[in-house]
Amino acid sequence: MQPADARRLRAVRPARPARELTAISADGARLHVEVHGRVDDTAAPAVVLAHGWTCSTAFWAAQIRELAVDHRVIAYDQRGHGRSPASPACSSDALADDLEAVLEAALAPGEKAVIVGHSMGGMTVMAAAGRPGFRAHAAAVLLCSTGASRLVAESTVVPMRPGRLRTWLTKHILGSRAPLGPVTPIARAILKYATMGPGSAPHMVEACARIVHACPRKVRYAWSNVLDLLDLDHGVRELTVPTAVVVGTADRLTPPVHARSLAAALPHCLGVTELPGLGHMTPVEAPELVTGKIRELVMTYPQADTYTQVKEGA
């Protein structure tokens, strides 16, 4: 790695949280939660970040650093990922339970937040869309590089025509039990091909590789089976809050066909932003744009009025 890339890599390392919490999910699963930024300022708008498969709170380093200046930023590790212990329960319902638990633990009663989900984090949002706990806290949503169903069938990781063979091969590649091993040049090249755009900077590839390779093999395999069978089309229709969608045109894991399907089904879609040449890791590949989308949602759908009324007993 070149010295310039090493400096850039240091810039995307996670910031130290101002506060750490443990949220307890419906089945007793413990979830590591970080709160960054203006944690004691009740007027500071809240943003909740849900990461994707094989990732962790570290994935949101760029968004956390920028938003923490004037927001309260809440990021959590999905069960089995990062610092959240693994659980035998792996399902879309468990993801929804976990998000509700995080919202309850990190937000005041009635407090609204902009909720952002990337990949499996977006699926988490869709799974929770009809839940009372989600609806009580969601002001608006940003879905990044995600889909609701047919994830394996629509993936273009295997460069061949759509059909049963491609679907079978994709399922076995993404659902492999093999350990990923150390982050080597070959490992970085494979990860870049599968998850990032061809023009991704080396420091971005390195950051994503370190995060993904840190995910335990058993956790990666267990959640791959959930994603293979996922069908959250009903959840999309229940996601009634204002929702924006972002996708990279070179996304092989959740190609733009998913984003367009979401836009057609969402009750209050704010539009789809397609990012030319970018892959699946949009918050890392286009940090300024994703952070800007979050700020736009915060400014357009303010949360302070509702929270203030609740606090004052209105």
Side-chain angles (χ1 to χ4, degrees), residues 84-123:
S84 292
S87 166
C90 294
S91 68
S92 58
D93 283 341
L95 293 176
D97 289 340
D98 294 352
L99 178 55
E100 280 196 300
V102 169
L103 296 176
E104 182 179 359
L107 300 175
E111 183 181 8
K112 298 285 186 176
V114 168
I115 302 176
V116 186
H118 170 260
S119 194
M120 192 174 80
M123 299 161 202

Side-chain angles (χ1 to χ4, degrees), residues 223-239:
W223 283 107
S224 73
N225 290 329
V226 175
L227 300 179
D228 175 30
L229 302 174
L230 195 74
D231 186 347
L232 292 171
D233 290 339
H234 64 286
V236 180
R237 295 188 292 271
E238 294 182 357
L239 188 53

Side-chain angles (χ1 to χ4, degrees), residues 1-11 13 185 188 201-204 206 210:
M1 183 184 300
Q2 297 298 317
D5 290 326
R7 289 194 296 272
R8 295 188 186 101
L9 184 59
R10 285 194 294 271
R13 285 178 181 167
R188 285 192 290 269
H203 75 282
M204 294 179 176
E206 178 73 20
R210 292 187 182 188

Side-chain angles (χ1 to χ4, degrees), residues 14-24 28-36 51-52 54-59 64 75-87 98 102 211 214-216 219:
R16 185 183 299 275
R19 186 175 297 160
E20 295 179 302
L21 309 171
T22 299
I24 309 298
R30 301 172 67 84
L31 304 165
H32 172 70
V33 183
E34 300 177 0
V35 186
H36 298 260
H51 69 75
T54 72
C55 293
S56 66
T57 58
F59 184 79
I64 289 171
Y76 71 101
D77 287 323
Q78 302 271 19
R79 60 174 64 197
H81 296 71
R83 293 170 63 183
S84 292
S87 166
D98 294 352
V102 169
I211 292 168
C215 181
V219 170

Side-chain angles (χ1 to χ4, degrees), residues 6-312:
R7 289 194 296 272
R8 295 188 186 101
L9 184 59
R10 285 194 294 271
V12 297
R13 285 178 181 167
R16 185 183 299 275
R19 186 175 297 160
E20 295 179 302
L21 309 171
T22 299
I24 309 298
S25 194
D27 64 350
R30 301 172 67 84
L31 304 165
H32 172 70
V33 183
E34 300 177 0
V35 186
H36 298 260
R38 299 171 65 174
V39 297
D40 296 318
D41 184 355
T42 56
V47 174
V48 178
L49 305 173
H51 69 75
W53 177 48
T54 72
C55 293
S56 66
T57 58
F59 184 79
W60 298 108
Q63 284 69 44
I64 289 171
R65 288 185 184 277
E66 291 299 318
L67 293 170
V69 175
D70 50 0
H71 293 67
R72 280 178 297 119
V73 185
I74 297 142
Y76 71 101
D77 287 323
Q78 302 271 19
R79 60 174 64 197
H81 296 71
R83 293 170 63 183
S84 292
S87 166
C90 294
S91 68
S92 58
D93 283 341
L95 293 176
D97 289 340
D98 294 352
L99 178 55
E100 280 196 300
V102 169
L103 296 176
E104 182 179 359
L107 300 175
E111 183 181 8
K112 298 285 186 176
V114 168
I115 302 176
V116 186
H118 170 260
S119 194
M120 192 174 80
M123 299 161 202
T124 301
V125 171
M126 291 179 256
R131 301 285 190 91
F134 177 85
R135 292 187 170 183
H137 290 293
V141 163
L142 176 62
L143 299 176
C144 299
S145 312
T146 191
S149 62
R150 293 180 52 80
L151 299 177
V152 175
E154 298 287 2
S155 170
T156 59
V157 168
V158 178
M160 59 188 299
R161 289 183 177 181
R164 291 182 180 180
L165 178 58
R166 190 182 78 173
T167 299
W168 185 88
L169 289 170
T170 303
K171 176 181 177 178
H172 284 78
I173 290 171
L174 297 181
S176 171
R177 292 176 180 266
L180 295 182
V183 178
T184 63
I186 292 176
R188 285 192 290 269
I190 292 172
L191 179 130
K192 180 179 179 180
Y193 166 79
T195 70
M196 305 183 79
S200 298
H203 75 282
M204 294 179 176
V205 178
E206 178 73 20
C208 287
R210 292 187 182 188
I211 292 168
V212 170
H213 280 240
C215 181
R217 176 175 58 89
K218 290 182 179 180
V219 170
R220 172 168 49 87
Y221 175 74
W223 283 107
S224 73
N225 290 329
V226 175
L227 300 179
D228 175 30
L229 302 174
L230 195 74
D231 186 347
L232 292 171
D233 290 339
H234 64 286
V236 180
R237 295 188 292 271
E238 294 182 357
L239 188 53
T240 56
V241 297
T243 302
V245 183
V246 170
V247 66
T249 62
D251 188 338
R252 291 187 171 93
L253 289 179
T254 53
V257 62
H258 289 293
R260 296 164 194 156
S261 295
L262 291 174
L266 283 165
H268 190 170
C269 184
L270 302 173
V272 177
T273 301
E274 296 192 16
L275 306 176
L278 297 192
H280 185 67
M281 303 302 210
T282 44
V284 174
E285 295 179 76
E288 295 87 358
L289 185 140
V290 171
T291 302
K293 287 288 182 184
I294 297 171
R295 286 188 176 277
E296 182 179 331
L297 290 174
V298 170
M299 293 177 64
T300 307
Y301 303 96
Q303 309 136 68
D305 290 344
T306 302
Y307 182 33
T308 301
Q309 289 172 5
V310 171
K311 285 194 69 182
E312 294 175 354

